[in-house]
Amino acid sequence: MKDHILCHEDFMDFPIGAFPYDPDHTAMGEYQYVTEKGYHGRWLDQVCNYTWNGTGPTWLVTEKDGRHAMECMRVEKNRPHRIFPTLETGSPFWRNAEVSVSLRRLSLRGMAGLVFSLNHSIDTLVFALEEGGVATLTYRHKEELHPLGRAAFPQNPDDTYRLAADCEGDLVRCYVDGQLLIEARTPIVARGGKAGITADCPARFSDFEARVTAEEAAAIEARAAERAAREAAEMARHPAMKLWKTIDLKNFGTSRQVRFGHLLGDGSWQVVLAQMQRRVSRDAYGFISCLTAIDLEGNVLWQLGEPSDEAEELGKVSADMALQVYDIDGDGADEVICGWDFEIRVLDGRTGAVKRAVKTPIADQEDEGLIGAPYNTYAFARLNPDGIRICNLRGLERSRDILIKDRYCRIWALDDQLNTLWHDKSPTNTGHCPLPVDVDGDGKDELLVGYRLLDSDGHELWHYPITEDHTDEIVAGRWKPNDPEGYFACVSGTQGFFIGDFYGNILKRDMIGHAQRVSVANYCPERPGLEICVTNFWGHQGGIFLYDCNGEPIWEKQNEMNGNIIAPVNWDGDGAELILTNGDPQKGGLLNGQGLRAVAFPDDGHPTLCCEALDLCGDGRDELILWDYHRMVIYTQADNPRPQTYHPLKFPPYNASNYRGEYAYPDGSYLDFHADKDRMRGEK
C-alpha cells in the first residue's frame, strides 16, 4: 500500500504573490549563474522566455477560504520556442510512486496537469486535461510530443478535479476523481524521476502529493545513498581545489566582460575588465564605459574611462562587448583592441595609451533587410560594434586581421592598420560569434558567419539550409577517428544542435529546444573519437546533453541550474577532460563523461556569478576562475605544481567571447584541415 508520503505540498508556507522569477526575463542565465530572489520551497522553475518581458510571473500563489494554491499565469503559444511552463519537485530516484494534484481549469484552452518520471523539464511524462474535453498521457521529449494514451473527459472552469498518476514498474494508470481513464506501459515509467505540475494556460493547482510504499521509500534512500557514494569515490580520484588568488575588484567589476592576456610581454597573465552602458534598447547597442587592467594580485595597471559604484548594473549584460587582448603588432606584448565611442582603438597593453585608432564605419546601408535592429532602423550614423574577432584573412605568418560586426547583420574586415578590407551585409542572421578557421589549408581563414561560409575576401561559398534564428556558438574540428574530414558543431537556438560538413551539408541534428552552448573534448576516453557537450537555455533551460563523435546521444540530464559553461577542463593532466558547469558549491563544479560530479567547489563563500577555465600557473592544467561584480577568486589543484606531459590545444583567449564554442584537442592535428576548394564553391 502506497501510504508513505514522499511529498505533500499545500503551498501554505509560501507568501501570497509571485513565485520567484526574473522580471526582466534577461539572457543573463545563458553565461552567468543567476538565481531569482525569494522563497522557492521544494520547487524548481526551469522555464523562461524573453518574450515574457513585462508580463509578470509564470506562477502565482493565491488564497481562497484560507487555503493556498499555485496558479499558472501564462497564455503560452509556444513561440518562438516550444514551451510548457513546469514546476518540478522531488528526486531523480523516485520510482513506483503515485503522484496527484487538485486542478481547476481557469481556462479550457491549452493543457494543465501532472508531470512525472521527469529527467528534465523536456524529458518527462505528462498526464493532462486538454481543450476539447480530453485527458491525455504524453511523453514530452525535446521538441517532440509522443502520445501514449487519450480518453474523453468533459471539463468546466468551475470544478476542481483530482488528477493522479500511479506508477508501478513500467505501467502507469491515470485517474481523474478516482476514475481510471488511461493506462500504458513504457520504459520511461520504469526509469522514474521527479514530479510536478505543468500548464500552458491559466490553471490552479493545490494539494500536490507523492506517495510510495514503505519498501519503495527505503529503496529510494538506497539509490540516493549509492549515487552519493559513487560521487564521493569519483571525487577522491581527482585533486581537490586549492584557493590560489583572491582579488578585490573594487568599483570596476563586471560580469563576463573579462579578458585575459599578457599585457606586460613577460609571460605573466593580466586581466582586463570592461564595464558597459546600454544605448537605445537593452543590449542591442551596449558600449564600453570603463576599461581596467589589473595583474593577478589586483594591482591596477591602468584605467580608461570612469568606473562606477553601480558595477552590478553596468555588468548586467548578456551581449558581447567589442574587446580582445592580442599582440596585433607582433612586438611581444598584447595590445587591447576595443570599441570606444564609435572608434576602434588599439591600446598599449602596458599603459592603456592609444597606439592606433580609427572611426567605426559609417552605417549608411539601407535599413531594409537589416536583421535584428530595434524599431527596424539602425540607431546611429556610425557602427556601434557588437564584437571583435582576430583572424588571418591575408595569409600572413600570424593572425593580424580584425573582424568587427553589428548585432546580427553586418561585418567588416580590417587589417592591423585598421584599414577596411571588405564588408558584408548578410541575408541571414550573422549570429554572435563568427568563427575564423582555415578549412582548406591555404593559410587564409574562412569565416563561418551564422549559417554562411565566407572566403577570406568576404565572398559566400555556401549556406547551410537554415534561415531561422541564429547561431550562438561553433566548434570546428576533426574529432572522428580515422576520418580526415573536418566538421562544424553548431548550436543555433530554436534550430537546435547540428553537425555540418565543410561543404554546406547538415549531417546530424537534434532539436533540443534553444541550443545555447557547445564544447568538444575527450570527455569519455573509453570511447572512440571526441565527445560533444551541448546545453540549452531559452524555453526549458538547464539541460546538458552529451553526444559521441558522430552526434549520437550518450546521456542527457538537468543540473537544476543555469549559467552552465560546459567548458572542457584539464584538471588531472591525464588526457581526460572534465566539464565545467558553474561555481555553485552544492551542485556546480566539474562533471566527468558519465555526468557524475567529479570535482566540487569549496563552500567558502566564493562568488558564483561567472566562471572560466584557463591555465594561469603554466603547468598545462587549468585553473578555475570565479568572479562577480566585486571579487575574483582563482582555484588551482591541491597538488599544484606538478609537471605535465598533456598540454591540450584550446580555444585561443585572444578570441574570447560569451559565445565561443569550446574545445580541448590533444594536438594541432585536430585543426589541420584540407577541404576541397572546388567542392566548397559548389564546383564539380
Side-chain angles (χ1 to χ4, degrees):
M1 184 175 181
K2 294 180 178 177
D3 55 2
H4 182 94
I5 298 175
L6 292 172
C7 168
H8 177 79
E9 180 63 83
D10 59 10
F11 303 108
M12 290 301 294
D13 57 343
F14 280 83
I16 296 298
F19 186 86
Y21 76 110
D22 174 10
D24 297 322
H25 300 287
T26 68
M28 284 290 289
E30 290 177 344
Y31 300 93
Q32 287 92 187
Y33 175 44
V34 293
T35 57
E36 291 75 34
K37 296 178 181 179
Y39 179 66
H40 294 75
R42 69 186 89 211
W43 296 88
L44 175 70
D45 180 6
Q46 286 290 99
V47 182
C48 61
N49 194 1
Y50 59 81
T51 64
W52 293 348
N53 187 37
T55 63
T58 299
W59 299 96
L60 187 69
V61 180
T62 61
E63 181 272 341
K64 182 180 180 183
D65 299 329
R67 303 183 68 183
H68 286 189
M70 184 72 75
E71 295 188 4
C72 178
M73 290 289 96
R74 293 287 172 216
V75 178
E76 184 49 55
K77 298 300 183 182
N78 288 325
R79 294 291 184 272
H81 313 94
R82 192 163 200 174
I83 296 176
F84 302 95
T86 302
L87 270 186
E88 56 190 81
T89 190
S91 158
F93 308 110
W94 283 6
R95 294 179 196 162
N96 301 315
E98 178 185 322
V99 295
S100 59
V101 74
S102 294
L103 166 65
R104 181 177 173 184
R105 298 268 278 148
L106 302 180
S107 167
L108 296 182
R109 299 184 178 184
M111 68 84 205
L114 285 164
V115 294
F116 57 99
S117 293
L118 183 148
N119 178 32
H120 55 80
S121 58
I122 46 173
D123 183 12
T124 184
L125 291 172
V126 185
F127 174 45
L129 302 183
E130 298 197 29
E131 60 183 293
V134 295
T136 61
L137 176 65
T138 305
Y139 176 41
R140 182 188 296 166
H141 190 216
K142 300 176 182 174
E143 290 285 284
E144 301 297 325
L145 302 180
H146 305 275
L148 299 175
R150 182 182 179 94
F153 187 79
Q155 308 153 41
N156 68 66
D158 303 316
D159 290 338
T160 297
Y161 306 99
R162 188 71 185 174
L163 276 63
D166 190 3
C167 301
E168 196 64 45
D170 65 352
L171 175 67
V172 60
R173 295 184 174 93
C174 301
Y175 301 84
V176 178
D177 293 338
Q179 177 187 357
L180 177 64
L181 294 183
I182 302 169
E183 59 181 328
R185 290 188 182 274
T186 169
I188 305 302
V189 176
R191 82 174 182 196
K194 299 169 70 176
I197 55 178
T198 185
D200 61 4
C201 60
R204 178 180 298 164
F205 297 89
S206 57
D207 295 313
F208 175 90
E209 193 166 79
R211 292 173 172 262
V212 294
T213 65
E215 293 78 9
E216 185 60 38
I220 290 170
E221 290 186 6
R223 287 191 287 272
E226 190 273 337
R227 174 74 177 203
R230 284 182 58 207
E231 183 175 279
E234 177 65 19
M235 288 186 179
R237 295 180 54 246
H238 305 277
M241 294 190 194
K242 176 177 70 176
L243 182 63
W244 184 48
K245 301 284 185 182
T246 298
I247 302 171
D248 182 1
L249 300 181
K250 302 180 177 66
N251 64 344
F252 50 80
T254 185
S255 57
R256 285 193 65 82
Q257 311 309 318
V258 172
R259 303 291 186 262
F260 296 85
H262 305 290
L263 302 180
L264 302 181
D266 60 2
S268 64
W269 286 94
Q270 289 78 44
V271 188
V272 179
L273 303 97
Q275 291 182 339
M276 65 142 283
Q277 293 178 274
R278 293 175 175 86
R279 288 176 165 133
V280 181
S281 177
R282 301 186 75 176
D283 289 347
Y285 303 102
F287 70 101
I288 296 172
S289 56
C290 180
L291 280 179
T292 306
I294 62 173
D295 63 22
L296 294 186
E297 303 303 321
N299 300 306
V300 175
L301 306 179
W302 52 263
Q303 192 169 71
L304 181 65
E306 183 176 336
S308 172
D309 290 328
E310 300 296 326
E312 185 167 344
E313 180 60 31
L314 297 188
K316 193 176 292 184
V317 56
S318 61
D320 258 352
M321 288 293 96
L323 172 66
Q324 297 297 355
V325 174
Y326 178 64
D327 183 10
I328 193 72
D329 60 12
D331 68 351
D334 285 345
E335 284 73 46
V336 176
I337 306 162
C338 64
W340 191 274
D341 194 26
F342 302 104
E343 291 183 347
I344 300 299
R345 291 185 176 181
V346 178
L347 308 179
D348 188 306
R350 298 179 179 87
T351 66
V354 177
K355 282 189 167 184
R356 188 170 289 110
V358 67
K359 296 290 186 183
T360 59
I362 294 289
D364 58 356
Q365 292 90 351
E366 293 293 329
D367 287 332
E368 183 178 355
L370 190 63
I371 298 168
Y375 316 115
N376 297 313
T377 187
Y378 198 74
F380 300 105
R382 289 193 178 273
L383 171 70
N384 186 99
D386 176 75
I388 289 176
R389 299 289 168 267
I390 307 300
C391 44
N392 188 355
L393 302 175
R394 293 174 289 163
L396 305 178
E397 290 186 3
R398 57 192 297 275
S399 297
R400 295 187 69 161
D401 300 315
I402 300 168
L403 195 75
I404 60 176
K405 62 189 286 289
D406 65 10
R407 186 79 165 139
Y408 290 124
C409 189
R410 296 170 294 187
I411 59 176
W412 286 261
L414 313 178
D415 64 18
D416 54 337
Q417 302 301 305
L418 305 184
N419 301 304
T420 299
L421 299 173
W422 50 264
H423 73 272
D424 177 76
K425 182 177 180 181
S426 179
T428 55
N429 199 303
T430 60
H432 289 290
C433 190
L435 179 67
V437 58
D438 180 12
V439 301
D440 58 14
D442 68 352
K444 298 180 182 181
D445 284 339
E446 284 71 41
L447 297 163
L448 187 58
V449 182
Y451 309 119
R452 306 165 66 222
L453 187 71
L454 307 184
D455 68 15
S456 56
D457 295 319
H459 302 126
E460 181 176 320
L461 297 172
W462 50 255
H463 192 301
Y464 282 128
I466 305 176
T467 58
E468 302 299 317
D469 211 329
H470 62 262
T471 295
D472 281 317
E473 296 189 355
I474 309 163
V475 176
R478 294 173 50 222
W479 50 74
K480 298 182 183 182
N482 304 315
D483 186 347
E485 297 294 327
Y487 301 94
F488 291 118
C490 304
V491 284
S492 300
T494 59
Q495 303 306 295
F497 155 65
F498 68 87
I499 296 174
D501 65 17
F502 286 170
Y503 308 105
N505 304 300
I506 294 176
L507 307 178
K508 200 73 178 179
R509 194 171 183 183
D510 198 6
M511 307 299 286
I512 61 169
H514 183 104
Q516 187 66 49
R517 292 221 72 185
V518 60
S519 65
V520 180
N522 190 20
Y523 293 129
C524 302
E526 71 279 5
R527 291 179 174 270
L530 304 183
E531 289 71 48
I532 306 166
C533 189
V534 175
T535 190
N536 60 9
F537 185 68
W538 291 115
H540 295 258
Q541 62 174 312
I544 301 175
F545 306 81
L546 193 70
Y547 304 85
D548 68 15
C549 60
N550 297 305
E552 297 295 333
I554 299 175
W555 51 258
E556 58 189 87
K557 63 177 292 182
Q558 173 181 279
N559 71 346
E560 302 186 345
M561 298 180 290
N562 56 32
N564 294 306
I565 299 302
I566 64 166
V569 177
N570 176 25
W571 189 253
D572 297 280
D574 61 0
E577 302 283 330
L578 300 176
I579 303 168
L580 173 61
T581 56
N582 61 43
D584 185 84
Q586 277 72 48
K587 297 179 182 178
L590 308 181
L591 302 178
N592 67 11
Q594 288 70 51
L596 194 68
R597 198 160 66 137
V599 183
F601 284 98
D603 194 359
D604 57 3
H606 62 255
T608 60
L609 180 70
C610 302
C611 61
E612 188 71 273
L614 190 64
D615 176 17
L616 297 177
C617 288
D619 73 344
R621 293 186 296 175
D622 290 321
E623 277 62 55
L624 298 172
I625 308 131
L626 301 177
W627 71 94
D628 59 15
Y629 305 112
H630 307 292
R631 190 163 55 107
M632 177 179 286
V633 300
I634 305 173
Y635 295 97
T636 189
Q637 298 82 2
D639 62 354
N640 184 292
R642 192 183 76 189
Q644 304 296 313
T645 59
Y646 172 63
H647 299 277
L649 179 68
K650 297 206 171 189
F651 195 96
Y654 61 75
N655 264 335
S657 166
N658 285 352
Y659 305 95
R660 69 182 186 268
E662 308 268 12
Y663 57 80
Y665 295 148
D667 56 59
S669 67
Y670 289 77
L671 287 171
D672 184 14
F673 304 126
H674 300 280
D676 186 278
K677 293 185 179 183
D678 291 337
R679 283 186 64 193
M680 286 197 300
R681 289 172 169 80
E683 302 171 6
K684 295 183 179 179

